[in-house]
Amino acid sequence: MFCDSHAHLDADSFDADRDEVIARARAAGLTRIISVGAGIAAGRAAIKLAEAYPDLIQPTVGVDPHSAKDMDEPMRAELRKLAAHPLIVAVGETGLDYFHDLSPRDVQQREYRWQVELSIEEKLPLIVHCRDAWDDNFAILNDYARDGLRGVAHCFTGGPDEAERFMELGFLISFSGIVTFKNAKAVQAAAEAVPLEGMLIETDSPYLAPIPKRGKRNEPAYLTYVAEKIAEIKGVAVEEVGRVTGQNAAGLFVRGAA
Ligand SMILES: [Zn+2]
């Protein structure tokens, strides 16, 4: 009944025990995992995983802001080809990251725009990674607001105001293990403000393990810790969090939905 809206199951750190990780996810009650392919090779790997676990895993492909500087015409052509693959359910992750600044900001913006346009052409939702770049992020997304743009703010790190700006664009807000961290007051306030109907939950595994697993390798089974924290914040049963966010994911991660 739970959907992990964002995991990197292709990551090297799962090479030794990927099947066990996936078995533990099922045992924890996960019925859908969006495996995010960050880069061309990762996108291909995500498609292979979806072929191996068709009832559980759905793949995406995109180039994250860190790698935007590597984008060239052959890569764009390959990304376009992969995005058209019938199993792919989203373009991303893409976006802006001015915290790490691993690509020049104008290059991040250019490749973000290109992928926003690709998502609209392919009638796919967009998975947005935004860190310390709110104004530029919303300036870009607002340019496409009337063109069929839809998507999710993944691993949301903002507060209620940023969540509101995403929701005005029709985006869902995806909460990760950050919401379990003691000092994440703004993110917790956002989780209070966003209705369950506007929410997804994710692990972003193998990164960002929630409390009480913080510092360890993260995996989709730990989604239950995120769900429990959201249930506590919203004052509802954890099953309700799973049911509603699962429905939200089913509505979002499909090609051609309005
Ligand atoms: Zn990610």
Side-chain angles (χ1 to χ4, degrees), residues 6-8 36 38 93 129 154 202 204 207:
H6 197 111
H8 298 274
V36 174
E93 58 190 287
H129 169 117
H154 123 77
E202 66 173 77
D204 203 10
Y207 317 108

Side-chain angles (χ1 to χ4, degrees), residues 151-214:
V152 53
H154 123 77
C155 193
F156 186 68
T157 55
D161 292 349
E162 289 81 16
E164 179 63 37
R165 291 166 82 182
F166 268 117
M167 288 192 289
E168 279 166 9
L169 286 159
F171 273 56
L172 298 175
I173 313 294
S174 185
F175 291 93
S176 67
I178 291 175
V179 77
T180 69
F181 297 172
K182 242 198 175 84
N183 57 359
K185 298 293 177 212
V187 174
Q188 288 159 2
E192 220 177 311
V194 175
L196 262 190
E197 289 67 26
M199 212 182 261
L200 297 177
I201 51 175
E202 66 173 77
T203 58
D204 203 10
S205 49
Y207 317 108
L208 269 177
I211 288 175
K213 304 286 183 185
R214 198 171 177 180

Side-chain angles (χ1 to χ4, degrees), residues 3-22:
C3 169
D4 185 350
S5 81
H6 197 111
H8 298 274
L9 286 175
D10 66 288
D12 295 350
S13 55
F14 292 130
D15 282 353
D17 62 347
R18 187 170 288 104
D19 292 334
E20 287 94 324
V21 165
I22 290 167

Side-chain angles (χ1 to χ4, degrees), residues 37-157:
I40 301 299
R44 285 200 197 101
I47 290 170
K48 283 219 162 66
L49 280 165
E51 286 167 347
Y53 296 92
D55 61 328
L56 181 70
I57 296 174
Q58 294 186 295
T60 82
V61 66
V63 171
D64 64 36
H66 315 310
S67 304
K69 59 181 182 303
D70 303 329
M71 280 279 263
D72 55 16
E73 269 319 311
M75 237 175 115
R76 287 192 198 95
E78 196 55 37
L79 187 50
R80 186 180 291 286
K81 208 170 104 192
L82 283 176
H85 189 287
L87 287 178
I88 289 285
V89 296
V91 170
E93 58 190 287
T94 176
L96 303 173
D97 193 319
Y98 296 173
F99 178 79
H100 292 99
D101 267 333
L102 297 182
S103 289
R105 291 180 178 184
D106 60 324
V107 174
Q108 292 188 38
Q109 291 168 21
R110 187 185 69 210
E111 301 308 331
Y112 185 22
R113 279 186 186 275
W114 190 86
Q115 292 179 79
V116 171
E117 289 169 16
L118 178 63
S119 77
I120 291 167
E121 280 164 31
E122 287 294 331
K123 299 192 181 337
L124 286 169
L126 188 72
I127 298 174
V128 171
H129 169 117
C130 179
R131 187 102 190 260
D132 293 355
W134 302 108
D135 286 342
D136 286 349
N137 172 67
F138 290 115
I140 289 171
L141 292 181
N142 281 320
D143 280 347
Y144 300 95
R146 272 174 294 276
D147 301 335
L149 175 69
R150 62 198 180 90
V152 53
H154 123 77
C155 193
F156 186 68
T157 55

